[in-house]
């Protein structure tokens, strides 16, 4: 089959075939073996979709092993993508379309496909041997067990091989392009533009033009297959979303976070120094920042996490913006140095991309169980500010904000991202770089002793912020020594004096407590909800989506998202007390709820799940319904969400 | 004294036999001469009477002004231990950090601030026990740092437990029946970690200590100086044999390019003991009894000789080699890191907006 002459470049001319059906939103899940390139396939479909102008949200889900044994359940890797013609906030609960590249991928994912869902299966992998390997006694494609779905069996490997016959590639190499066949087929089904993918493939395989061509041929073959066979009766159209006006791009949380750090170097005018040790899911921030030396960013891959933060702190002492990036296990190792940074009162940005714990836990899965570690995980009274982004794009703003607080208040700041934000992506309204607020590091240059002498007092605080002066080595006349031993208030020399220690402990706490953060905002469209759902971090999406569903059913529910976890917004207590019920869903065993209950004495309720996967909107919808006022006219009727409401 | 060559991009940093770039290059010079007093802080020194740290502090205070660099461009970073109080007593910039981690902090500072002379003060427990990992990595990276390792072969600050350099069998608070740990030889360890400069001095030998410190300061890269230091409280007299009569029969001073001779002067006016090869190792012989050709001439550029010298005496102090074991030139991590940033910047100032935009943007019209 030659495909070179087929025009696949113009989505508005799908060529022959039936008229497309309109859809508001679609969830697609690509699932295959770790070696099948499902993450790449998902990424490409995401890019095509972003370029097309849909709103979208993604959820990559892959095993911790680089290559688990081929064809096994632990080796299954998947990529879920939710796109729509309106603004959405989650990667979707259940797929409408499941692409299963082998029996293991089918077995691991079929449970999530609702009845009537579209199932596209690569039949070439459904050999007796492969089926028995994962415990299928009969071929599910033949035993009727998939009857409730719209099944499309496609011999993807064979068809790809056929399309690549003339390239002279080996059978094995040719078959490896079958993921691009799948991508081509789905691109056809959903009228995605394809120029971007072809350009991407040419660049990715710049050194192997033969492979680039092979992948493009496979991609086009998949497209042509959809168009020419009778097997697919319909295509679908999801119109571009009406997003806020502006320039958009697709971005993952880790990339946005890295860009935020680059931007923070610009807004503060400080050289950025990153000290880091590789760890999933944070390593990509190190990778990304190491590409941006031209912005004055120095990256240092240390011998361990302790060294990574130590070097960052040393750089901060010298007048750089010190940054360290890691995940939960790394934070555990860094705790002692974080405590040192608290008492040194130097700016430092600490990024924790949370993953499943304890210990090594679930390295590639998401969780929110490091909140209390960030809050209290140090010896002594060692408070510090904590900020958590709510979406991939928000990682940029959170990093810029965290750096601003660190520099202004001379303090280490912990930024709590998580695995779902780190690897998930969404369309991001690109900020105007020239509009970013600049921050003056305000280095000390003169002696400051209150008696007017020529002494420098490193712990004499700013009356407003309680921040201490930052005098960097090389500044004549301000030579001073700082360290982990308690310091005399003001003068900064070593002090073992009981009252001084009590005062210093309180001053440090007061400084952090007094950091100005924006007031919390409640989203309560009806204005008279009884139930307030409070979330933080990446649960923002599912909480908002579930609230929309519940409201769509005629119920009232209010939501509040916390971005600043320390200090809390000044109006938080008042807001919490003004609702009959406060509900806090978290991907831990109730860490934020513990803080809220302790701090505000409100009887906040907790809903928790720690599965390594984000909440599903449907699941939270049911939880919310359970808390709604029984006297409300439509309460108790748990229907399904109306079309177009889910997000 | 050239070691391996690296990428051509770093050519300028590699010793090509031309006068190299020194450890203090890039650090601004003081406008007026400074004295020990200028480097003395107002903090009262609080070591025990008789502690070897006093002698080292006095030596360092009078040595620093001789470097001629600005005081404010001098930084001392320490870990935790008696010796790690050192920075408080110097009127330079300083940080008394946490146990074992000083090399990491100094690394970040040295990479980002080529205009500073960065010194680390650490103890045998701080450097070799809790901080062992950081020490070996600092040495292999060859960051421009000077590390003063105060080796009193005991944990002083925690009141007398054995340390990773304590001799086997030592009775301490935590080893009432004698230590069963085999100790480190800090010089061998540093050489094994690819250190480019390794020296050793005795706290009370101000002349040699000052000479080794001077060479360390001039060295571009990580310099490790082991200082044998007396702790009269918890390890009293541990180095006494190197101070008492007969010490000349034990101390083996090194001078680059000179035959290794020590001890009371022999007939030729040089030391009556000599170091000669013994298979792959070295041994001490009576100088008069060997062919002078066989006497080893010290070469601070030889890794192998430096290692053999470090093994001359192991746990006991029968033959304690002092001076500069190794002083060789290799590209430093911090120079290379800055060179990469400069190279990336050479293309002109990048535009943040184009970074944020990336290559695939689309516009939603209002
Ligand atoms: C994390 C941590 N563990 C343990 C200690 C206790 N501690 C302080 S100094 C020290 C050993 C010091 O020995 P050394 O480095 O040889 O220094 P010296 O006091 O002998 O100069 C120990 C174990 C500490 N301060 N921090
Ligand atoms: S305990 Fe030993 S090392 Fe520490 S100050 Fe006293 S004499 Fe010096
Ligand atoms: Mg000691």
């Amino acid at each position: 089959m030659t495909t070179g002459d087929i025009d696949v470049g113009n989505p508005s001319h799908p060529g022959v075939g039936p008229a497309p059906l309109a859809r508001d939103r679609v969830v697609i899940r690509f699932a295959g073996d770790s070696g099948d390139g499902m993450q790449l396939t998902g990424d490409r479909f995401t890019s095509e979709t972003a370029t097309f102008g849909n709103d979208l949200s993604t959820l990559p889900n892959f095993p911790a092993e680089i290559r688990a044994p081929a064809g096994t359940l632990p080796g299954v890797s998947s990529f879920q993508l939710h796109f729509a013609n309106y603004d959405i906030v989650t990667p979707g609960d259940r797929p409408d379309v499941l692409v299963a590249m082998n029996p293991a991928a089918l077995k691991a994912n079929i449970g999530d496909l609702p009845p009537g869902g579209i199932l596209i299966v690569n039949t070439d992998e459904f050999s007796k041997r492969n089926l028995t390997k994962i415990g299928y006694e009969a071929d599910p494609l033949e035993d009727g067990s998939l009857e409730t779905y719209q099944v499309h069996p496609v011999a993807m490997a064979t068809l790809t091989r056929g399309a690549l016959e003339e390239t002279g590639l080996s059978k094995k190499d040719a078959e490896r392009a079958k993921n691009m066949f799948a991508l081509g087929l789905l691109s056809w089904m959903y009228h995605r533009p394809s120029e971007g993918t072809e350009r991407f493939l040419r660049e990715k395989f710049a050194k192997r033009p033969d492979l680039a061509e092979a992948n493009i041929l496979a991609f086009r073959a998949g497209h042509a297959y959809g168009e020419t066979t009778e097997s697919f009766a319909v295509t679908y159209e999801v119109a571009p979303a009406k997003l806020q006006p502006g320039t958009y791009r697709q971005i993952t949380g880790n990339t946005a976070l890295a860009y935020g750090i680059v931007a923070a170097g610009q807004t503060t005018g400080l050289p950025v120094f990153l000290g880091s040790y590789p760890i999933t899911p944070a390593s990509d921030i190190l990778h990304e920042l190491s590409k941006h030396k031209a912005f004055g960013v120095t990256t240092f891959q240390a011998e361990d996490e302790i060294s990574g933060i130590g070097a960052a702190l040393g750089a901060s002492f010298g007048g750089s913006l010190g940054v360290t990036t890691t995940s939960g296990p790394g934070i555990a190792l860094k705790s002692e140095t974080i405590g040192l940074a608290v008492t040194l009162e130097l700016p430092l940005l600490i990024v924790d991309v949370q993953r499943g714990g304890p210990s090594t836990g679930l390295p590639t899965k998401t969780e929110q169980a490091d909140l209390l570690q960030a809050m209290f995980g140090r010896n002594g009274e060692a408070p510090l500010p904590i900020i958590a982004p709510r979406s991939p794009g928000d990682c940029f703003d959170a990093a810029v904000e965290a750096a601003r607080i660190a520099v202004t208040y001379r303090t280490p700041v912990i930024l709590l991202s998580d695995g779902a934000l780190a690897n998930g992506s969404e369309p991001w309204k690109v900020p105007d770089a020239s509009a970013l607020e600049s921050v003056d590091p305000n280095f000390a240059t003169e002696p400051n002793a209150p008696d007017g002498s020529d002494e420098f007092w490193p712990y004499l605080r700013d009356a407003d912020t309680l921040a201490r002066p930052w005098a960097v080595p090389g500044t004549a006349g301000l030579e001073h020594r700082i360290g982990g031993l308690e310091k005399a208030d003001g003068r900064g020399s070593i002090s073992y004096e009981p009252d001084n220690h009590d005062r210093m402990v309180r001053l440090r706490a007061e400084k952090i407590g007094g950091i100005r953060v924006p007031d919390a905002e409640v989203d309560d469209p009806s204005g008279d909800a009884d139930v307030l759902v409070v979330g933080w971090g990446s649960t923002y999406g599912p909480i908002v989506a579930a609230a929309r569903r519940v409201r769509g059913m005629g119920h009232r529910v209010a939501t509040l998202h916390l971005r600043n976890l320390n200090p809390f917004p000044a109006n938080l207590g008042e807001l919490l007390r003004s609702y009959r019920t406060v509900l806090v869903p978290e991907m831990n065993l109730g860490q934020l709820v513990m803080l809220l209950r302790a701090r505000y004495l409100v009887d906040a309720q907790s809903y928790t799940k720690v599965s390594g996967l984000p909440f599903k909107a449907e699941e939270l919808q049911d939880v919310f319904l359970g808390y709604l006022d029984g006297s409300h006219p439509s309460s108790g009727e748990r229907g399904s969400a109306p079309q177009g409401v889910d997000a | 004294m050239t070691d391996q060559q690296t990428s051509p991009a770093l050519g300028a940093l590699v010793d090509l036999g031309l006068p190299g770039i020194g450890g203090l290059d890039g650090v601004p010079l003081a406008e007026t001469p400074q004295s020990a007093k200028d480097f003395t802080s107002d903090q009262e020194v609080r070591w025990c009477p008789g502690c070897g740290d006093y002698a080292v502090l006095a030596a360092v205070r009078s040595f620093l002004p001789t470097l001629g660099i600005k005081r404010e461009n001098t930084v001392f970073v320490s870990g935790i231990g008696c010796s790690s109080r050192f920075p408080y007593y110097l009127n330079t910039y300083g940080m008394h950090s946490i146990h074992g981690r000083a090399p990491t902090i100094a690394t970040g500072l040295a990479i980002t601030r080529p205009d500073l002379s960065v010194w680390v003060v650490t103890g045998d427990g701080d450097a070799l026990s809790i901080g062992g990992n950081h020490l070996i990595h600092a040495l292999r990276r060859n960051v421009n740092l000077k590390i003063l390792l105060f080796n009193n072969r005991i944990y002083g600050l925690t009141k007398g437990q054995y340390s990773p350099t304590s001799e086997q069998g030592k009775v301490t608070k935590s080893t009432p029946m004698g230590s069963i740990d085999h100790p480190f030889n800090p010089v061998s360890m540093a050489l094994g970690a690819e250190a480019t400069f390794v020296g050793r001095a005795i706290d009370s030998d101000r002349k040699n200590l000052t000479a080794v410190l001077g060479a360390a300061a001039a060295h571009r890269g990580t310099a490790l100086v082991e200082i044998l230091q007396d702790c009269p409280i918890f390890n009293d007299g541990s180095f006494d044999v190197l101070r008492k009569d007969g010490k000349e029969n034990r101390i083996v001073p090194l001078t680059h390019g000179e035959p290794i001779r020590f001890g009371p002067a022999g007939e030729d006016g040089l030391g009556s003991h000599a170091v000669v090869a013994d298979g792959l190792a070295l041994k001490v012989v009576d100088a008069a009894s060997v062919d002078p050709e066989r006497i080893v001439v010290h070469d601070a550029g030889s890794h192998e000789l430096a290692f053999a010298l470090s093994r001359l005496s192991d746990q006991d102090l029968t033959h304690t080699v002092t001076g500069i074991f190794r002083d060789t030139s290799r590209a430093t991590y911090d120079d290379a890191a800055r060179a990469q940033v400069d190279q990336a910047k050479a293309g002109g100032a990048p535009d943040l907006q184009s970074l944020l935009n990336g290559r695939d943007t689309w516009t939603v019209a209002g």
Side-chain angles (χ1 to χ4, degrees), chain B residues 123-132 151 153-155 161-167 179 181-186:
Chain B
D124 42 323
D126 194 63
L128 299 169
S129 197
I130 192 167
N151 184 7
R153 307 183 80 175
I154 198 82
Y155 284 2
Q161 302 83 6
Y162 76 101
S163 89
T165 55
S166 296
E167 55 283 17
S179 156
D181 266 14
H182 183 79
F184 265 134
N185 174 328

Side-chain angles (χ1 to χ4, degrees), chain B residues 52 55-56 59 151 199-210 212 225-230 239-243 247 250-252 317 320-323:
Chain B
V56 184
N151 184 7
R200 182 190 281 150
I202 300 165
D203 55 4
S204 51
D205 181 356
R206 183 132 166 196
K207 189 159 158 266
N208 176 49
L209 175 59
T210 305
V212 175
V225 180
E226 183 194 8
I227 302 172
L228 304 182
Q229 174 240 325
D230 207 27
F239 298 114
D240 273 5
V241 291
L242 303 179
R243 300 178 213 277
K247 65 179 180 187
R250 292 175 176 265
I251 299 178
V252 187
L317 302 169
T320 301
V321 180
T322 63

Side-chain angles (χ1 to χ4, degrees), chain B residues 101-366:
Chain B
R101 319 303 176 194
T104 72
I105 291 166
T107 293
L109 186 60
I111 293 173
T112 50
R113 293 291 304 273
D115 60 327
L116 303 178
S117 174
V118 183
W119 297 74
V120 168
V121 173
T122 180
D124 42 323
D126 194 63
L128 299 169
S129 197
I130 192 167
N133 194 31
H134 309 310
L135 181 68
I136 57 175
H137 288 282
L139 292 170
R140 94 178 149 79
R141 281 191 196 106
N142 202 28
V143 180
N144 196 19
L145 303 173
K146 316 302 151 201
I147 303 175
L148 310 185
L149 196 172
F150 288 56
N151 184 7
N152 54 12
R153 307 183 80 175
I154 198 82
Y155 284 2
L157 192 69
T158 46
K159 304 195 175 170
Q161 302 83 6
Y162 76 101
S163 89
T165 55
S166 296
E167 55 283 17
Q168 233 163 341
K170 190 182 194 74
V171 174
T172 72
K173 279 191 179 146
S174 57
T175 52
M177 294 173 72
S179 156
I180 50 177
D181 266 14
H182 183 79
F184 265 134
N185 174 328
V187 172
S188 298
M189 195 222 63
L191 292 166
E194 308 282 329
T196 53
F197 184 106
V198 185
R200 182 190 281 150
I202 300 165
D203 55 4
S204 51
D205 181 356
R206 183 132 166 196
K207 189 159 158 266
N208 176 49
L209 175 59
T210 305
V212 175
L213 292 179
H219 175 76
R220 195 158 192 93
T222 311
L224 180 93
V225 180
E226 183 194 8
I227 302 172
L228 304 182
Q229 174 240 325
D230 207 27
C231 169
I233 306 298
F234 296 113
N235 201 12
D236 192 23
S238 53
F239 298 114
D240 273 5
V241 291
L242 303 179
R243 300 178 213 277
K244 289 195 295 221
D245 280 356
K247 65 179 180 187
E248 60 281 2
N249 290 320
R250 292 175 176 265
I251 299 178
V252 187
L254 297 174
T255 307
H256 177 66
E258 302 274 321
I260 307 176
R261 301 271 301 264
F262 65 102
E267 275 175 19
D268 58 0
L270 298 173
S272 51
H273 308 301
V275 172
V276 296
D278 178 24
L280 290 176
L282 300 174
K283 66 176 177 188
V284 172
V285 295
D286 178 5
S289 72
V290 289
D291 176 354
E293 292 290 297
R294 277 193 59 207
I295 299 176
V296 173
V297 174
H298 184 46
D299 175 5
S302 163
H303 200 173
E304 294 72 22
L305 176 60
F307 194 80
L309 284 166
S310 78
R311 310 307 295 177
L312 204 52
S313 101
D314 198 8
Q315 295 191 41
D316 62 50
L317 302 169
T318 316
H319 295 298
T320 301
V321 180
T322 63
I324 298 159
F325 288 75
R326 186 171 199 226
D327 182 358
T328 182
S329 151
R330 161 154 55 89
T332 71
Y333 181 93
D334 50 316
D335 283 319
R338 289 186 297 264
Q340 286 193 340
V341 171
D342 290 345
Q343 193 187 332
K345 279 179 168 173
D351 177 34
L352 180 61
Q353 191 67 58
S354 32
L355 172 72
L356 301 186
N357 286 347
R359 294 194 313 166
D360 285 317
T361 56
W362 69 96
T363 307
V364 175

